[in-house]
Amino acid sequence: MTMGIQPLGEPATFQGWLVNSDGTSPFEAVVVARGAVGPKTVESCTMAFAGTDAAAFERSFASTGAARPSGEQKGQGRVRKFFAIEREGVKEALTLDLPIYPNGADEVVASVVSEQRIEN
């Protein structure tokens, strides 16, 4: 399942956690991956939710003003929205995967990919 929601095609490492797995709460998962995009080593964090208000999630995200829209892809029933963020000199690429017609109990996937930072 973690391979299905993380944005890197062939990660070198990844870890995934089901936040709610008791069957009574909506699905929530977090996946962290490290890999390469061309010559750069990158890391990503992906969050997936079910039973979420996608329109409210997108409004809340947009209200921060930190991200610049950089594209959009529409599929059958879903739309992927791409954003660019720069924080503390590090460029990040964010993807939101949302339903085209949100109904208040939606599936949302949000992924951010950035160049890996190496701490000494």
Side-chain angles (χ1 to χ4, degrees):
M1 183 211 59
T2 58
M3 290 295 288
I5 65 171
Q6 60 88 24
L8 301 176
E10 296 183 28
T13 63
F14 66 89
Q15 292 180 301
W17 298 268
L18 287 175
V19 178
N20 291 327
S21 61
D22 59 9
T24 60
S25 302
F27 174 82
E28 293 181 14
V30 176
V31 177
V32 176
R34 288 190 176 91
V37 174
K40 295 188 181 224
T41 302
V42 298
E43 53 191 5
S44 71
C45 181
T46 301
M47 295 165 285
F49 310 93
T52 298
D53 184 340
F57 181 91
E58 185 177 8
R59 278 192 306 275
S60 175
F61 171 75
S63 71
T64 66
R68 293 182 328 274
S70 61
E72 187 173 296
Q73 287 179 338
K74 286 189 178 177
Q76 190 172 353
R78 310 269 315 156
V79 62
R80 280 194 173 156
K81 297 185 178 186
F82 304 100
F83 300 88
I85 300 172
E86 188 164 340
R87 275 192 300 193
E88 300 175 12
V90 176
K91 293 180 181 176
E92 301 175 335
L94 178 81
T95 303
L96 296 181
D97 186 288
L98 307 162
I100 290 176
Y101 304 107
N103 64 17
D106 311 297
E107 294 176 359
V108 173
V109 178
S111 296
V112 64
V113 177
S114 67
E115 191 169 0
Q116 186 174 359
R117 297 173 93 176
I118 299 172
E119 303 282 334
N120 289 333

